[in-house]
Amino acid sequence: MTRRRLPSGRRVGIPLSAALAMLGALCVGITGPSSAADAAAKAAASDGLGARLTAANFSDPGSADRPWVRWTLAPGASTNELLGELRDMAAAGIAGAEIGQGSFPGTDQLAALYRTANSLGVTLSLSHGPVSAPDGFSIDDDQARKQLAYGAAVVGGGTAYSGALPKPDTTHRTTLVSVLAFRCSATCSTSGQNTLDKNSVIDLTGQVRNIDKKGIQGGTTAGTLDWSAPVGPDWQLLAFWSVGVQAQPDLLTKAGTNVLTKNMDRQFAPIKQLMRANGGDFFYDSHTADRGSPTDTWSNTMASDFRRAAGYSITGYLPLLVNLPSTGFGAATPAFQFDSGTSARFRNDFYQVRTDLWLDNQVLPLKKWAKSTYGYAVRVQPYGDNGAAVDSIQASANLDRSETETLWFGDEVDNYLPEASANHMTGTKWYSIEGSAALNQAYAQTWQDQVVRMNKAFAGGVTKLVYHTYPSDTDSTSVWPGYSLFPSSFSGSWGPRNPNWADAKAYNDYFARNQLVLTQGEAKTDVAVYMQNYVYPQPYTQGNLQYWSDPSLAEHGYTRDYVNPTLLDLPGAVVENKQLATDGPAYKALVLDGEQLPASAASRTGIPVATAKKILSYAKSGLPVIIVGEAPATVPGLDAKGDKNLQPVIASLLKQRSVHQVSSEAAVPGLLQRLGIEPAAEPAAPGPIVSVHRSDADTDFYWLYNQGSVTNDSEPATLFDPNTSAKPVDTEITLQGHGTPYLLNTWTGAVTPIAQYTTGRDSVTVHVSLTGDDSEVVALTTDPSRFTGVRSHSGSRLHVVSTTADGARVQADGSLAVEAAKSGTYTTRLSNGRTVRTTVSSPGPALDLTTRSWSLDVQDWQPAATYGTTGAQVALTSKKSVHVDLGKLTAWTGVPQLQNTSGIGTYTTTVTLPADWKKGTGARLALGQVSDSYTLTVNGTDVPAVDQLSATADIGNYLHVGKNTLTVRVSTTLINRLRTLSSALSTRTAQANGLVGPVTLTPYSVTEVN
């Protein structure tokens, strides 16, 4: 995998040819397939994802497409208990379990888990424990992860310093790196940030006396200094020390990686063959303690590694690598800045070097070792939790499996796109998400909330859900409903302890179908936005930041990716027919965004000279290049000649006919339209629908989502509200592609032909109606047999172009029919040019069932033992029966017997249809507000999974003349009961559980068009 060029012109890491050879050996795709062999290799690289979608596997998705869970094991959990939980997962449609957060199992227990998982077809992932560090590994080990720490003393101009070197406040072993003195640009402060005169630096390291050899690799842990400061302003005397930051092997050196892998080889030797048979992965979380992305500022070889990579010494810049003491998560404040304006540009060089060191010395060797030794992949969340970390786009392009999370990125679609963009260019199909850890919502997260959050993630390119979390049941200290690593903070604790887990299989089928769709063929994206960034938005701590802040681009239907020098160095990043990467995303334009956020990203308006030259070549080949605001004027780092060398390249770029400048992001969609660049999914009018476009040899798949809000200040704290402010959308959308359109119902698994549409030269226009936060899938195919199984079915079948009826459908025998809720004569225009008039009889009046008599039987879930009891009874639940007769529907909080109840409620009512009710009459049942999950039964027959957001089902085929029985079973979260028991949860708001309505039944006639 290629890297960006540093200012010195040196390339850090492996050369392109070697990278491609290594990636080929590891089955990592680089560009679109050019042959059947390439296609097979790409499929293997994506871990079984992307199997050709057919009606059969869409109805019942395979294990590769199913969700995973983060399985948090309780300390002391018995093997039998864990094996039972594995079986429960498999039965609920879970195909993978990540082990390690919580308690890491011993070898014998792991062996038992692998044997059962292999028999069930469940993939196991290993995280934490020996995957992160050897047992007993010390933070003071020579090969431990390290930070640069400092001690400071203010020395007045013309005065002397004599004594021990200033040291950082730590009990861990410190090893001296360097002693420097800088003149303060203003008064030297003993707290807060200081600005230093960069050119005043004096290196005093050689004057240190009274040293020892107790430090790392024989360095000194002590020393004294006698030094007289020059006359004038005050000076900062700074002693820099290397100190362990985690009791884990270093992730910036090969030596640290070797310590890690040798320990895992020793630990996992007895189960090696079981692991190979399982084919799982090793996982590294995002946070500093979990090795996901290095925020470490030092290593044993950092000084020499940096000089070799950047071409200059790091010593004089050491003050820029230390921070003031920080509390909690979020970006730390640098302790020092230089007054020369070089601080941000140096840090860009450092972050790039650190990115390259991490990839070259850990990620790539770890991938090779994992694949060859265990047949395992490496899965990583490539971002940090405390300020700038690494270039996540570059990291994702080098990973087997990239992962993001809902919590850290605040459910912002825009924040998921950088990692997805790397996948789109490399052809990798795995992009998982740790979902959905809503802060302070333990046991309150509904299934509907999970769907909404996953819809936002899917819109951002995510292709795999990993639940946070699925805890094992019991330990010695937990209370009902069982062990949880986060009993009162993050949401989650999914599993059978929750009443709503009764519907887990239906939801996991839903997620799997979406994930199957979103891994078909290649991702196709309208626009590429250039971005090289190490300071990624962190909405969890800094508000809901985005990179591209103006919503109008998405509202006009345009999709975007973010590309950096790494992606533009890929072999497939070439322009053909005025498009970039035609075998992959096929970008129709490239944007250089001078307004890009966050503003703290020093490189947002800079660009390497080599990358600017490449973009110039794109423009000369006819690719439209759009510059928002000012054109780039600087290179990202400290290259002394870089800015000067960049200027003529940018000047030449601006002269190209294919290059255009606009003042703001808001002006981009208008310019694209004037240039004749249309979005692949274009709404009739700007609106909230966003899309994901996947394309293979014969089918274009469009995943369409009615995004309720672009930015919600209360996310991720606010859970899904059935009364969301998101508005329903009813519009026409023009989809680029050819062939017959089909609707893929991700709830039921049904694939049905769309009866009404219009065709253009290279497009098909369909009607889309979506409730707020809901999604649907439309496929345009030139091979309908993949959905119908009928080879003779051509792509030119007769269809409806327009109708004055409510809608049209293709019936089971292939004939066309119109739908209407009122009697009358309706006009329908067909694709063969004919206009047909159809007379429709009255289907009967709509019925409001909200105020009907409803019988409600509830299982009230409570602890079987007194709350607070620990031990074997901790997970046992009593399910008390409560019967209520309702004169009208209302939330459980409004029913005295159910105010604090969590559980499962079954609602029953009857509807009597008249003798003239005709078989084949349609009937739409709208349930209104329901919380949480629900199923529907009509006359004893289960209706296939109902869309849990729109809460609407067509039940006409289940009705008959006379008395009809409707049954709605509703399952809730545990919060309403737990808030009355747990003091930690007592302030949580009660949820409006149950079937609230309004519930309406609307008959409609289905009449064949003759």
Side-chain angles (χ1 to χ4, degrees):
M1 187 67 62
T2 54
R3 309 282 163 69
R4 62 150 283 200
R5 292 185 183 274
L6 287 168
S8 64
R10 300 172 185 262
R11 185 179 298 277
V12 174
I14 56 179
L16 175 59
S17 59
L20 294 179
M22 176 181 293
L23 292 171
L26 297 179
C27 298
V28 176
I30 298 296
T31 60
S34 57
S35 67
D38 290 341
K42 177 172 280 190
S46 295
D47 308 286
L49 297 175
R52 178 177 168 83
L53 188 152
T54 64
N57 66 4
F58 185 70
S59 175
D60 185 16
S63 60
D65 302 298
R66 293 193 168 278
W68 284 21
V69 296
R70 176 172 287 187
W71 191 14
T72 53
L73 274 57
S78 72
T79 300
N80 285 338
E81 174 188 323
L82 298 180
L83 297 182
E85 289 169 3
L86 263 179
R87 296 185 186 99
D88 288 341
M89 291 178 198
I94 297 295
E98 172 196 314
I99 298 173
Q101 196 170 42
S103 176
F104 197 89
T107 303
D108 290 344
Q109 195 169 64
L110 263 180
L113 294 178
Y114 270 105
R115 282 191 289 269
T116 298
N118 290 350
S119 69
L120 293 169
V122 174
T123 303
L124 295 183
S125 169
L126 300 183
S127 176
H128 298 72
V131 179
S132 291
D135 290 342
F137 190 83
S138 171
I139 196 172
D140 292 327
D141 191 279
D142 276 13
Q143 301 302 331
R145 295 175 60 181
K146 298 176 182 68
Q147 292 281 40
L148 190 69
Y150 74 102
V154 176
V155 182
T159 66
Y161 178 92
S162 181
L165 296 175
K167 299 194 74 172
D169 183 16
T170 178
T171 59
H172 300 303
R173 180 173 66 155
T174 56
T175 301
L176 184 66
V177 172
S178 188
V179 181
L180 306 174
F182 288 85
R183 182 183 293 116
C184 294
S185 297
T187 303
C188 287
S189 171
T190 56
S191 63
Q193 188 180 83
N194 279 267
T195 301
L196 307 177
D197 178 356
K198 172 185 176 296
N199 296 322
S200 68
V201 61
I202 301 174
D203 190 339
L204 302 172
T205 311
Q207 300 181 33
V208 176
R209 300 292 181 265
N210 300 315
I211 61 176
D212 59 34
K213 296 184 178 181
K214 299 178 182 179
I216 294 166
Q217 298 180 333
T220 183
T221 64
T224 60
L225 178 70
D226 295 306
W227 174 67
S228 295
V231 175
D234 291 346
W235 289 71
Q236 281 275 7
L237 176 66
L238 302 173
F240 295 96
W241 306 81
S242 172
V243 59
V245 67
Q246 293 291 338
Q248 300 171 348
D250 186 10
L251 39 60
L252 299 178
T253 65
K254 283 188 171 69
T257 300
N258 288 339
V259 171
L260 184 69
T261 56
K262 286 180 180 178
N263 172 72
M264 281 196 274
D265 280 338
R266 183 172 56 253
Q267 182 89 11
F268 300 141
I271 58 172
K272 180 177 179 180
Q273 295 309 314
L274 289 169
M275 292 174 66
R276 290 196 67 88
N278 186 264
D281 67 29
F282 297 111
F283 172 66
Y284 296 98
D285 208 345
S286 60
H287 306 309
T288 303
D290 302 329
R291 303 179 66 88
S293 175
T295 53
D296 307 5
T297 52
W298 205 249
S299 73
N300 294 343
T301 58
M302 177 60 77
S304 59
D305 288 340
F306 185 87
R307 177 179 283 279
R308 182 167 54 254
Y312 62 93
S313 172
I314 198 173
T315 300
Y317 298 91
L318 293 180
L320 302 181
L321 298 182
V322 294
N323 297 318
L324 295 173
S326 177
T327 57
F329 292 128
T333 302
F336 302 99
Q337 297 280 38
F338 286 158
D339 59 4
S340 58
T342 60
S343 302
R345 299 183 73 165
F346 161 76
R347 291 189 180 105
N348 264 33
D349 278 348
F350 178 76
Y351 298 148
Q352 184 60 56
V353 170
R354 184 170 62 186
T355 297
D356 291 336
L357 291 175
W358 177 50
L359 294 175
D360 289 336
N361 295 334
Q362 178 170 69
V363 170
L364 292 178
L366 198 62
K367 283 171 52 179
K368 183 178 181 180
W369 164 83
K371 187 73 173 180
S372 62
T373 308
Y374 300 99
Y376 259 40
V378 173
R379 177 167 53 99
V380 178
Q381 294 179 351
Y383 46 87
D385 64 7
N386 193 7
V390 299
D391 185 333
S392 288
I393 298 177
Q394 180 181 338
S396 297
N398 281 274
L399 286 168
D400 291 328
R401 298 174 173 177
S402 192
E403 183 164 298
T404 186
E405 61 181 292
T406 52
L407 174 69
W408 209 246
F409 295 112
D411 298 294
E412 288 286 354
V413 172
D414 191 58
N415 290 331
Y416 298 139
L417 293 178
E419 290 180 66
S421 305
N423 277 9
H424 296 166
M425 284 292 288
T426 63
T428 304
K429 294 184 178 180
W430 182 291
Y431 182 21
S432 49
I433 187 166
E434 176 191 329
S436 305
L439 187 62
N440 296 325
Q441 296 294 342
Y443 293 105
Q445 189 172 34
T446 64
W447 274 118
Q448 291 136 327
D449 177 75
Q450 182 75 280
V451 169
V452 173
R453 292 176 190 270
M454 280 308 300
N455 277 344
K456 293 178 183 293
F458 290 147
V462 168
T463 62
K464 173 75 72 172
L465 165 62
V466 181
Y467 287 94
H468 181 287
T469 62
Y470 189 113
S472 59
D473 273 340
T474 58
D475 72 342
S476 59
T477 60
S478 296
V479 299
W480 186 79
Y483 167 77
S484 175
L485 192 61
F486 308 103
S488 61
S489 55
F490 297 110
S491 62
S493 295
W494 299 94
R497 68 180 61 184
N498 301 285
N500 58 9
W501 192 255
D503 296 315
K505 181 61 165 59
Y507 278 87
N508 288 325
D509 286 349
Y510 166 81
F511 293 130
R513 293 185 188 108
N514 280 279
Q515 291 168 177
L516 175 60
V517 168
L518 294 169
T519 53
Q520 294 303 295
E522 300 288 341
K524 298 297 179 182
T525 309
D526 296 319
V527 176
V529 179
Y530 179 79
M531 178 172 72
Q532 186 175 26
N533 192 355
Y534 314 96
V535 189
Y536 282 78
Q538 295 174 329
Y540 177 54
T541 55
Q542 299 180 24
N544 295 74
L545 297 177
Q546 297 174 310
Y547 308 104
W548 184 283
S549 60
D550 186 83
S552 61
L553 189 69
E555 289 172 347
H556 282 78
Y558 292 97
T559 56
R560 65 182 177 274
D561 275 351
Y562 293 102
V563 296
N564 72 344
T566 299
L567 301 188
L568 296 181
D569 274 347
L570 290 171
V574 295
V575 172
E576 298 178 41
N577 300 319
K578 299 182 180 181
Q579 292 188 350
L580 174 61
T582 54
D583 287 337
Y587 303 119
K588 304 165 189 173
L590 174 64
V591 179
L592 303 178
D593 182 14
E595 293 187 345
Q596 192 171 109
L597 296 178
S600 56
S603 58
R604 69 179 184 147
T605 56
I607 192 169
V609 174
T611 304
K613 289 180 177 178
K614 181 156 291 189
I615 293 174
L616 173 59
S617 73
Y618 294 160
K620 289 180 177 179
S621 297
L623 177 72
V625 176
I626 299 172
I627 299 173
V628 176
E630 297 297 322
T634 62
V635 296
L638 276 176
D639 183 0
K641 298 180 181 179
D643 293 354
K644 182 178 179 181
N645 292 338
L646 179 66
Q647 292 169 7
V649 180
I650 297 300
S652 180
L653 180 67
L654 292 172
K655 293 177 182 178
Q656 303 304 311
R657 294 182 62 185
S658 58
V659 176
H660 313 269
Q661 273 188 285
V662 293
S663 61
S664 67
E665 290 175 346
V668 172
L671 174 60
L672 290 170
Q673 291 174 334
R674 291 193 297 275
L675 294 174
I677 299 173
E678 299 172 342
E682 184 174 14
I689 291 184
V690 296
S691 66
V692 177
H693 180 197
R694 306 285 307 193
S695 181
D696 63 19
D698 54 48
T699 304
D700 287 280
F701 294 89
Y702 286 92
W703 184 91
L704 306 172
Y705 167 52
N706 179 9
Q707 184 174 210
S709 63
V710 176
T711 300
N712 183 343
D713 291 338
S714 61
E715 291 286 3
T718 299
L719 299 182
F720 170 68
D721 179 1
N723 294 319
T724 175
S725 59
K727 304 299 183 186
V729 172
D730 200 68
T731 189
E732 305 291 318
I733 293 190
T734 299
L735 306 174
Q736 291 181 356
H738 303 87
T740 305
Y742 284 81
L743 183 66
L744 279 61
N745 189 319
T746 48
W747 285 106
T748 66
V751 180
T752 56
I754 294 175
Q756 182 177 341
Y757 59 95
T758 58
T759 58
R761 180 179 176 185
D762 296 302
S763 65
V764 175
T765 300
V766 298
H767 185 82
V768 173
S769 182
L770 285 171
T771 192
D773 288 315
D774 212 351
S775 64
E776 72 176 28
V777 176
V778 175
L780 310 180
T781 185
T782 57
D783 180 17
S785 65
R786 73 187 293 180
F787 300 140
T788 65
V790 180
R791 285 288 174 188
S792 61
H793 188 72
S794 71
S796 58
R797 65 172 169 81
L798 187 68
H799 63 272
V800 172
V801 174
S802 64
T803 182
T804 58
D806 297 338
R809 67 164 62 176
V810 178
Q811 302 195 99
D813 62 0
S815 63
L816 294 173
V818 292
E819 304 173 354
K822 295 180 180 180
S823 61
T825 300
Y826 297 93
T827 301
T828 301
R829 187 161 62 92
L830 302 176
S831 57
N832 61 5
R834 291 182 58 209
T835 298
V836 181
R837 292 170 62 84
T838 306
T839 300
V840 174
S841 59
S842 174
L847 303 175
D848 186 348
L849 308 182
T850 312
T851 56
R852 293 280 182 103
S853 295
W854 291 82
S855 171
L856 173 58
D857 291 289
V858 174
Q859 285 183 356
D860 181 358
W861 287 33
Q862 300 187 32
T866 303
Y867 184 78
T869 300
T870 59
Q873 299 184 73
V874 63
L876 298 180
T877 298
S878 169
K879 301 174 183 179
K880 178 183 176 183
S881 296
V882 180
H883 176 82
V884 181
D885 289 318
L886 300 174
K888 65 175 182 178
L889 293 174
T890 188
W892 291 6
T893 49
V895 179
Q897 304 96 308
L898 302 175
Q899 283 184 341
N900 299 315
T901 299
S902 294
I904 298 176
T906 302
Y907 293 79
T908 305
T909 193
T910 59
V911 176
T912 301
L913 296 177
D916 60 354
W917 177 268
K918 295 179 181 179
K919 185 178 181 180
T921 300
R924 291 191 178 90
L925 179 68
L927 297 176
Q929 180 178 328
V930 195
S931 185
D932 175 26
S933 61
Y934 51 91
T935 62
L936 173 64
T937 302
V938 180
N939 293 324
T941 301
D942 294 336
V943 178
V946 181
D947 185 325
Q948 301 280 298
L949 297 189
S950 71
T952 301
D954 195 323
I955 63 171
N957 289 338
Y958 304 90
L959 298 174
H960 53 67
V961 171
K963 183 178 178 182
N964 294 266
T965 301
L966 305 183
T967 303
V968 181
R969 186 202 22 87
V970 182
S971 303
T972 78
T973 69
L974 275 180
I975 192 61
N976 284 11
R977 178 56 63 192
L978 276 171
R979 63 190 291 273
T980 69
L981 302 172
S982 167
S983 59
L985 301 176
S986 61
T987 59
R988 303 292 164 83
T989 302
Q991 291 178 340
N993 288 336
L995 175 61
V996 179
V999 178
T1000 57
L1001 181 67
T1002 305
Y1004 64 92
S1005 294
V1006 180
T1007 308
E1008 185 173 336
V1009 176
N1010 294 317

